[in-house]
Amino acid sequence: EAGVTQSPTHLIKTRGQQATLRCSPISGHTSVYWYQQALGLGLQFLLWYDEGEERNRGNFPPRFSGRQFPNYSSELNVNALELEDSALYLCASSPPGGANTEAFFGQGTRLTVV
Amino acid sequence: QKEVEQDPGPLSVPEGAIVSLNCTYSNSAFQYFMWYRQYSRKGPELLMYTYSSGNKEDGRFTAQVDKSSKYISLFIRDSQPSDSATYLCATFPFSGSARQLTFGSGTQLTVLP
């Protein structure tokens, strides 16, 4: 069974540009979570999507946004990139009604803003 | 003050040693406690989770929770070089509406052969 897949693996953008990161959940999973892992800061919760709706949002500015498609895959968009947005962005998925203890993470997308 | 504090290390131990990894948390609403292992350039993988105070054992790993002191620990017995990774503690409240995990910053562990 395929795990959570994220693309691209690496992304280099210039300050002010927009970045789009993609996530395909495990088959049968309907919830997708996005986390930011900046150096030395641990994982910070960004967004939670379930059944196509945004259910919860972390303490990040509005230029961080996303969506979930009918096939439950998800996209994270970061507008007006800043240098401090450089981080590993991790996606996790969980089954319908599943708890956080059933969430599995992908390998992440390493975003570098120069 | 962060809601979950974790000593970042780095921590180096010889093979076979007992490793103790620790976190403290400040929010009494946190009810579930989890430990993740993250190898370099990989996503975190769930090692163990526990709800109640006390110990939970899984092979060489033991998770310990003391809710009265808001202290959680992970013990690794007979540590192996393959255990070298960053270990992250995480927690969330019982409420299902939040769903967000609050993580510690991670402890980098190296087990020397």
Side-chain angles (χ1 to χ4, degrees), chain A residues 97-110:
Chain A
N100 285 324
T101 52
E102 298 170 274
F104 293 87
F105 282 87
Q107 306 269 52
T109 292
R110 173 75 60 186

Side-chain angles (χ1 to χ4, degrees), chain B residues 2 5 15 19 25 31 47 66 70-71 78 96 98 100 104:
Chain B
K2 289 183 181 179
E5 298 276 0
E15 184 175 353
V19 177
Y25 63 96
Q31 298 290 326
L47 277 175
D66 182 347
K70 298 187 178 66
Y71 196 83
D78 187 24
Q100 65 195 72

Side-chain angles (χ1 to χ4, degrees), chain A residues 30-48:
Chain A
T30 58
S31 277
V32 169
Y33 313 85
W34 288 95
Y35 287 83
Q36 181 195 66
Q37 188 175 27
L39 196 61
L41 289 181
L43 279 76
Q44 307 290 318
F45 171 75
L46 267 165
L47 290 158
W48 168 33

Side-chain angles (χ1 to χ4, degrees), chain B residues 13-81:
Chain B
V13 300
E15 184 175 353
I18 296 175
V19 177
S20 172
L21 304 165
N22 308 295
C23 291
T24 58
Y25 63 96
S26 57
N27 189 343
S28 298
F30 292 143
Q31 298 290 326
Y32 285 85
F33 306 94
M34 306 153 82
W35 284 97
Y36 285 84
R37 178 176 60 195
Q38 186 176 21
Y39 291 114
S40 180
R41 306 187 206 287
K42 302 284 188 183
E45 57 175 323
L46 179 64
L47 277 175
M48 300 179 67
Y49 72 91
T50 184
Y51 171 72
S52 57
S53 282
N55 294 349
K56 181 177 181 179
E57 193 172 313
D58 184 2
R60 297 185 295 111
F61 298 88
T62 300
Q64 187 176 81
V65 175
D66 182 347
K67 290 187 178 180
S68 63
S69 60
K70 298 187 178 66
Y71 196 83
I72 56 177
S73 300
L74 178 71
F75 299 96
I76 307 174
R77 290 184 301 280
D78 187 24
S79 56
Q80 303 294 311

Side-chain angles (χ1 to χ4, degrees), chain A residues 6-96:
Chain A
Q6 293 186 243
S7 62
T9 307
H10 294 88
L11 190 57
I12 300 175
K13 291 287 187 179
T14 303
R15 190 171 51 183
Q17 285 187 316
Q18 178 193 20
T20 299
L21 289 64
R22 296 180 176 83
C23 173
S24 292
I26 291 172
S27 177
H29 285 194
T30 58
S31 277
V32 169
Y33 313 85
W34 288 95
Y35 287 83
Q36 181 195 66
Q37 188 175 27
L39 196 61
L41 289 181
L43 279 76
Q44 307 290 318
F45 171 75
L46 267 165
L47 290 158
W48 168 33
Y49 290 95
D50 182 59
E51 297 286 353
E53 300 286 330
E54 181 180 303
R55 303 296 185 182
N56 195 16
R57 180 183 183 84
N59 188 25
F60 280 84
R63 57 191 187 82
F64 286 84
S65 65
R67 54 181 171 166
Q68 186 177 35
F69 299 99
N71 66 355
Y72 304 112
S73 66
S74 178
E75 219 171 62
L76 174 69
N77 294 295
V78 188
N79 293 320
L81 284 165
E82 300 178 3
L83 296 178
E84 49 266 36
D85 296 333
S86 296
L88 181 67
Y89 288 83
L90 291 158
C91 170
S93 71
S94 66

